[in-house]
Amino acid sequence: MVENKLKSDIDQINAHKADSEEKYEKKYFSIWKVVLPILIGLGVVVLMFLHESKRDNISQVWHDIHFTWRTWLCIGLGFMFMWGRDFGLTWRFRALTNRELSWFKAYKVDFLCEFTSCVTPSAVGGSSLGMVFLNSQGIEIGRATTLMITTLFLDELFFVIFCPIVVLVTPAKEIFASDAGAFSHGIKYTFWIVYSIIAAWTFLLFCGIIWKPEWIRSLLTKVSRWRWLKKWEKNISELGENMVATSRELKKKPFRFWLEVFGGTAVSWTSRYLVVNALFLGFLPVDDRYQWVILARQFVIWVVLMISPTPGGSGFSEWIFSNYYGDLVPGIGMALIMAVFWRIISYYVYLCIGAAIVPGWLRQTYSRLHKGNANVNHETEGKSL
């Protein structure tokens, strides 16, 4: 009788634990977060192919592509550039944590952040759960939050510094597409509006974590008391406190530290941009003279993509690539095919691999947290006894 009751209790505990794990997994991950961006991206590409097939013979365009050794070599080079992106961010995570993270753990954090970027709108990005990922690798949660605010500042600073330089050294008619149509004007105005918002946000981060953290904390505290922001008062207040904590830690850092972490940031973003250069070299080698323009337009594309409401910019990315690079490609059909390869290399690979490994990571994280809570409760009970 006692054995049956004990077995029943164990079954109930296991069932409760399994149910809790399932709820925890669904909170941060569901298969729809992977399927939806794929469906959006493929749906837009198919619609564009169908639309352009009325003007171009898409099958003929595909037939005319010659997959030579150079084409495959450059596709491989595109994958190498994406590895360069991962190397830059992994290097940055190592530097930010004073080498406390191993290369493997830092790469895992980078990959989890990239997967988050794939399944959330571009404005949210991978940093939204970055502190959770760092915490899962042994970094205390408060410090992890500090580090993610720093990475956000570094990413935005890269855009603020290099975008105007690239625009200044590239003729406007080349960087914002060659025609004077609505698309060209739309790209230009959208770029400068989003860039202005990024610059303002970067200045706020600079004040908050380096120059005047107490002033920003005071400002955020006042703003959080507004009636229509009451719901987020706690989150806004925590942001102010985290900025002050970040400032205290960063002010102790030597100049060499800033060179290293910003160097990792520059390597990461530049490597990501060079994927498109590699594809042009492989598919259209006669357009080698446009390599700088191709790179310069990547700065514009990634700024504009920050307003994309779709997960990882799916659909919107394929559309803007095909239209934006259309004047450098002989036919929109070829641009679409290149857009598909670009997204496979820089997006779908991360999405598919992430879908395979993230559920297991979530279960491990839940088990670790569950054991930690159990140990704390056990110690508390022991002390009370």
Side-chain angles (χ1 to χ4, degrees), residues 97-237:
T97 58
N98 299 318
R99 308 293 190 279
E100 290 178 28
L101 288 184
S102 66
W103 281 100
F104 177 74
K105 287 185 176 181
Y107 178 77
K108 185 184 289 187
V109 172
D110 160 60
F111 193 91
L112 289 167
C113 286
E114 183 64 17
F115 176 74
T116 305
S117 297
C118 290
V119 297
T120 57
S122 300
V124 177
S127 60
S128 57
L129 288 176
M131 62 285 295
V132 178
F133 303 144
L134 282 169
N135 181 243
S136 72
Q137 301 306 311
I139 304 298
E140 189 269 329
I141 189 65
R143 187 177 172 215
T145 303
T146 293
L147 295 178
M148 290 314 300
I149 291 176
T150 308
T151 64
L152 179 61
F153 171 68
L154 290 167
D155 286 333
E156 308 296 17
L157 186 63
F158 176 82
F159 283 109
V160 169
I161 292 175
F162 285 102
C163 280
I165 295 175
V166 170
V167 171
L168 284 174
V169 300
T170 310
K173 67 177 182 179
E174 293 183 351
I175 195 170
F176 293 115
S178 59
D179 59 60
F183 179 80
S184 177
H185 286 303
I187 282 285
K188 180 167 63 176
Y189 295 140
T190 302
F191 169 78
W192 284 118
I193 290 171
V194 176
Y195 174 81
S196 299
I197 296 172
I198 293 173
W201 173 235
T202 305
F203 178 72
L204 182 66
L205 286 173
F206 172 76
C207 292
I209 66 177
I210 295 177
W211 187 28
K212 295 284 187 180
E214 289 80 10
W215 181 79
I216 295 296
R217 179 177 60 182
S218 177
L219 177 64
L220 289 173
T221 301
K222 291 177 181 178
V223 169
S224 67
R225 291 171 183 164
W226 293 352
R227 185 173 58 183
W228 54 282
L229 289 176
K230 274 286 184 180
K231 181 179 179 181
W232 299 281
E233 182 177 2
K234 182 180 178 182
N235 292 334
I236 295 174
S237 178

Side-chain angles (χ1 to χ4, degrees), residues 296-364:
R297 290 189 181 187
Q298 279 291 289
F299 282 85
V300 176
I301 276 185
W302 283 98
V303 169
V304 174
L305 281 177
M306 289 185 183
I307 64 170
S308 173
T310 58
S314 55
F316 185 61
S317 297
E318 291 82 355
W319 174 81
I320 197 172
F321 182 97
S322 303
N323 286 277
Y324 193 31
Y325 284 106
D327 62 316
L328 300 180
V329 179
I332 196 70
M334 173 68 82
L336 272 169
I337 290 170
M338 291 177 65
V340 171
F341 275 96
W342 172 55
R343 292 293 280 173
I344 288 173
I345 294 172
S346 63
Y347 179 74
Y348 290 113
V349 167
Y350 288 91
L351 193 64
C352 293
I353 296 177
I357 69 171
V358 168
W361 172 84
L362 286 172
R363 283 190 288 271
Q364 290 177 0

Side-chain angles (χ1 to χ4, degrees), residues 50-67:
L50 291 174
H51 176 72
E52 294 304 324
S53 65
K54 298 175 183 177
R55 296 188 297 176
D56 296 337
N57 189 336
I58 301 297
S59 60
Q60 185 61 43
V61 171
W62 181 262
H63 179 75
D64 290 341
I65 297 176
H66 301 290
F67 285 90

